[in-house]
Amino acid sequence: MNILFLCTGNSCRSILGEATFNYLAPAGWKAMSAGSKPAGYVHPRSLALLAREGISTEGYHSKSWENLPATPDIVISVCGNAADETCPAYLGPVLRSHWGVEDPAHATGTDEEIDAAFMKAYRILRARIEAFLALPLETLKHDKPALKLAMDKIATIVV
């Protein structure tokens, strides 16, 4: 099963989701990420955070949803609910869920405050990914309505 973490810029949240999912996922499950308007770079704080967490950053880069390496089975949008942020809608015939997370790239303040915003986004995504991976996935992948319901419930997890 291929999971697509989708946002606008593909520089922070979707990369954190992709890398964390691939780090934790069982065989047969693979994540990718993309953006509708890719930034063209991965935010250095995202890469530093992943490295501190022991998650490989090799091969991750900002990319467009028009150049995916595989067709996704599930699309998880991760754009937050900020007033000026519109999350792209993937138009293929896939299962969709919205796991909104505020964009740490817009965080301001001291280095510690900005790092804390990145860590908060990572912790929320990791908790949701762990909850997803704890589901009876072999059963649910054949029951799309139940999987969608479970994924939408996971979207409410905050840490």
Side-chain angles (χ1 to χ4, degrees), residues 26-78:
W29 290 81
K30 176 84 172 140
M32 53 193 153
S33 69
S36 58
K37 296 175 187 164
Y41 67 95
V42 177
H43 198 290
R45 288 181 192 259
S46 292
L47 295 173
L49 186 156
L50 289 167
R52 283 193 308 273
E53 293 295 316
I55 299 172
S56 173
T57 60
E58 188 165 337
Y60 292 111
H61 61 283
S62 178
K63 56 209 159 294
S64 171
W65 61 357
E66 295 175 0
N67 301 313
L68 297 175
T71 302
D73 300 293
I74 298 170
V75 174
I76 299 171
S77 55
V78 293

Side-chain angles (χ1 to χ4, degrees), residues 66-146:
E66 295 175 0
N67 301 313
L68 297 175
T71 302
D73 300 293
I74 298 170
V75 174
I76 299 171
S77 55
V78 293
C79 295
N81 299 318
D84 295 332
E85 186 174 29
T86 302
C87 207
Y90 185 83
L91 301 177
V94 297
L95 179 67
R96 295 175 190 83
S97 189
H98 178 67
W99 290 3
V101 177
E102 295 304 318
D103 190 350
H106 297 305
T108 58
T110 65
D111 278 346
E112 292 79 17
E113 290 167 331
I114 296 169
D115 282 344
F118 275 82
M119 183 54 77
K120 181 178 178 182
Y122 167 75
R123 284 191 177 131
I124 290 168
L125 287 165
R126 181 159 181 146
R128 292 174 182 173
I129 290 165
E130 288 174 347
F132 176 83
L133 294 172
L135 295 171
L137 294 174
E138 286 306 309
T139 302
L140 287 176
K141 73 181 184 181
H142 302 292
D143 185 350
K144 301 291 190 218

